[in-house]
């Protein structure tokens, strides 16, 4: 419980913006178990290894350990030994290298499975499936102090007034905002669903402000958008991992 309480205190300090203090490597090492367990790192590492074991079995991929003379294994061994956790480990250098050679081989064998799950046709399908959710909007946004002022600004924008002039008259700045529909707050998302270039969204409330926005551009997702491609790939891999794990992983928790 002392370790858990200390972890909670550190989390609160980080959230509230506490002042960093110098600590020793020993103090860091003592905090690692609680941090790793309570932040989900142990679970994440477990799933990482399980996915590679399962994909190797599913694809009958060879995962023979990489030679200990391989430069990559030597770099990995040295890098791990320099970490706080690696430095306090009682594992010998040879055993560490053997373990890392096996893990690296499993990771290499996992790459073809990832490529098959998130290949070019699959990515293209996911972009089409997310055509609405992943639309990108470029907005001229005004935040005003009252609903009446925001409604008047929306009326002027809808009549074709320049956003800069409307903002200047209201005494507020124009914010250049870029947003993906799926990431927008619910009031903005509802206002943007059917919006096209030149449309006015709002007003809606955001905290104590009343917001109105003019759509400057609307872009459908396409395969030139590297951020959306990465997002599509992450979704496909997560779904593929769920299928891969289904019925094959059992967690044994200690009371």
């Amino acid at each position: 419980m002392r370790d858990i309480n200390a972890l909670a205190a550190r989390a609160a300090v980080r959230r509230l913006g506490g002042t960093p203090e110098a600590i020793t490597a020993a103090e860091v090492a003592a905090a690692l178990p609680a941090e790793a367990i309570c932040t989900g790192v142990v679970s994440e590492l477990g799933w990482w290894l399980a996915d590679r074991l399962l994909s190797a079995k599913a694809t009958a991929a060879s995962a023979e350990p990489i030679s200990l003379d391989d430069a990559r294994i030597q770099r990995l061994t040295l890098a791990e030994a320099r970490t706080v956790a690696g430095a306090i480990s009682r594992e010998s250098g040879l055993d560490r290298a053997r373990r890392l050679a096996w893990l690296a081989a499993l990771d290499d064998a996992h790459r073809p499975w990832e490529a098959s799950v998130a290949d070019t046709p699959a990515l293209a399908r996911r972009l089409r499936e997310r055509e609405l959710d992943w639309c990108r909007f470029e907005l001229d946004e005004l935040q005003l102090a009252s609903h009446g002022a925001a409604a008047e600004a929306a009326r002027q924008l809808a009549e074709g007034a320049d956003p800069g002039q409307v903002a200047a008259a209201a005494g507020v700045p124009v914010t250049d905002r870029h947003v993906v529909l799926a990431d927008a707050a619910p009031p903005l998302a509802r206002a943007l669903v059917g919006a096209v270039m030149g449309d006015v969204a709002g007003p809606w409330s955001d905290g104590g402000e009343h917001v109105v926005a003019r759509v400057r551009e609307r872009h459908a997702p396409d395969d030139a958008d590297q951020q959306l491609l990465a997002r599509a790939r992450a979704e496909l891999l997560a779904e593929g991992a769920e299928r891969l794990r289904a019925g094959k992983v059992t967690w044994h928790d200690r009371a």
Side-chain angles (χ1 to χ4, degrees):
M1 284 306 301
R2 182 172 61 252
D3 292 341
I4 299 297
N5 289 336
L7 180 144
R10 288 191 297 273
V13 169
R14 286 194 294 266
R15 186 175 65 252
L16 297 174
T19 303
E21 295 181 359
I23 58 174
T24 65
E27 289 174 308
V28 175
L32 279 180
E35 290 279 351
I37 293 169
C38 296
T39 60
V41 171
V42 169
S43 177
E44 182 180 351
L45 293 176
W47 284 120
W48 185 95
L49 181 56
D51 288 345
R52 280 146 185 80
L53 290 168
L54 291 169
S55 68
K57 184 175 181 179
T59 60
S62 174
E64 292 298 320
I66 298 171
S67 170
L68 301 188
D69 295 329
D70 187 283
R72 177 167 55 137
I73 302 307
Q74 295 177 12
R75 286 195 300 270
L76 286 171
T77 303
L78 180 59
E80 186 184 274
R82 287 174 171 170
T83 65
V84 172
I88 64 174
S89 171
R90 296 180 180 179
E91 191 176 30
S92 71
L94 183 58
D95 286 343
R96 188 195 304 273
R98 286 172 176 160
R99 173 173 51 80
L100 292 171
W102 176 65
L103 290 173
L106 279 173
D107 198 38
D108 288 348
H110 189 62
R111 302 302 177 190
W113 176 85
E114 289 184 324
S116 69
V117 170
D119 58 10
T120 300
L123 290 170
R125 284 195 302 273
R126 182 50 51 97
L127 290 178
R128 289 196 298 271
E129 292 167 358
R130 297 290 198 181
E131 186 174 4
L132 177 59
D133 292 344
W134 289 353
C135 275
R136 285 190 181 277
F137 289 86
E138 297 177 22
L139 307 174
D140 293 317
E141 185 177 278
L142 286 70
Q143 296 187 1
L144 299 112
S146 69
H147 179 81
E152 175 59 22
R155 183 190 65 78
Q156 293 179 32
L157 291 172
E159 292 176 352
D162 179 76
Q165 293 177 349
V166 175
V172 297
V174 178
T175 301
D176 177 14
R177 184 171 180 184
H178 296 244
V179 64
V180 175
L181 186 62
D183 299 332
L188 177 57
R190 287 192 293 270
L192 291 178
V193 166
V196 297
M197 184 173 66
D199 283 352
V200 177
W204 71 90
S205 296
D206 183 8
E209 302 291 336
H210 298 268
V211 188
V212 62
R214 177 181 175 275
V215 178
R216 192 168 63 251
E217 297 283 349
R218 174 174 178 156
H219 303 282
D222 63 66
D223 57 10
D225 191 322
Q226 294 303 312
Q227 288 184 334
L228 289 184
L229 278 178
R231 191 166 181 169
R233 185 174 185 273
E235 279 196 0
L236 291 168
L237 291 178
E239 292 170 3
E242 287 184 4
R243 295 192 297 270
L244 193 65
R245 300 166 184 173
K248 300 183 183 70
V249 177
T250 303
W251 284 98
H252 298 277
D253 295 327
R254 289 185 178 182

